[in-house]
Amino acid sequence: MARILIVDDSPSQLAGIRRIVEKLGHEALTAEDGQAGVDAAKRELPDLILMDVVMPNLNGFQATRAIVRDPATRHIPVVLVTTKDQETDRIWGMRQGARGYLTKPFSETELADAIASSLGAAP
């Protein structure tokens, strides 16, 4: 079981992702915006972060960059989970340090696969 931080400003998205994460047997932690996500990552040191991109305060690209540049949190893989579906967005996200990129809407299987591959386990 992994501890997974879900960062999303949409209560319905947060609840939906949390339901899937917990169904897969993982512990779900949540944060409602990018800055809260950075703070939670430093405080909780989760095994994986699922990060939305379009959020108030810090967006997901900025939050990912802050997490991967901090020596205390750089080891935590970040998967961007977003409606931004352009190839340039995906490339930019990966340049910020994300280890994966999943576009909304996604299936439960797609999310499970992204989690498994980011945690280094077979899906």
Side-chain angles (χ1 to χ4, degrees), residues 47-114:
D47 299 304
L48 173 65
I49 300 170
L50 301 175
M51 178 82 68
D52 187 22
V53 172
V54 181
M55 294 183 289
N57 300 322
L58 285 182
N59 69 40
F61 293 142
Q62 294 165 320
T64 297
R65 191 167 50 242
I67 289 165
V68 301
R69 287 186 177 169
D70 186 325
T73 54
R74 72 167 41 129
H75 67 283
I76 304 169
V78 178
V79 174
L80 294 171
V81 183
T82 179
T83 56
K84 295 179 76 61
D85 62 356
Q86 300 298 308
E87 182 65 12
T88 53
D89 296 319
R90 190 189 69 73
I91 291 168
W92 183 246
M94 301 309 271
R95 283 190 177 164
Q96 304 317 300
R99 303 241 188 113
Y101 198 94
L102 185 62
T103 55
K104 298 175 187 176
F106 51 83
S107 70
E108 192 169 319
T109 301
E110 288 170 321
L111 181 59
D113 290 348

Side-chain angles (χ1 to χ4, degrees), residues 2 13-14 30 44 48 52-53 64 105 118:
Q13 287 289 325
L14 208 55
T30 61
E44 301 289 341
L48 173 65
D52 187 22
V53 172
T64 297
S118 297

Side-chain angles (χ1 to χ4, degrees), residues 5-67:
L5 173 62
I6 306 160
V7 186
D8 200 310
D9 63 322
S10 163
S12 60
Q13 287 289 325
L14 208 55
I17 295 170
R18 178 183 201 132
R19 182 186 56 76
I20 295 168
V21 164
E22 290 175 343
K23 183 178 175 184
L24 293 169
H26 301 296
E27 179 184 350
L29 311 167
T30 61
E32 292 78 33
D33 65 49
Q35 185 59 58
V38 171
D39 295 342
K42 289 178 185 179
R43 184 178 62 250
E44 301 289 341
L45 298 175
D47 299 304
L48 173 65
I49 300 170
L50 301 175
M51 178 82 68
D52 187 22
V53 172
V54 181
M55 294 183 289
N57 300 322
L58 285 182
N59 69 40
F61 293 142
Q62 294 165 320
T64 297
R65 191 167 50 242
I67 289 165

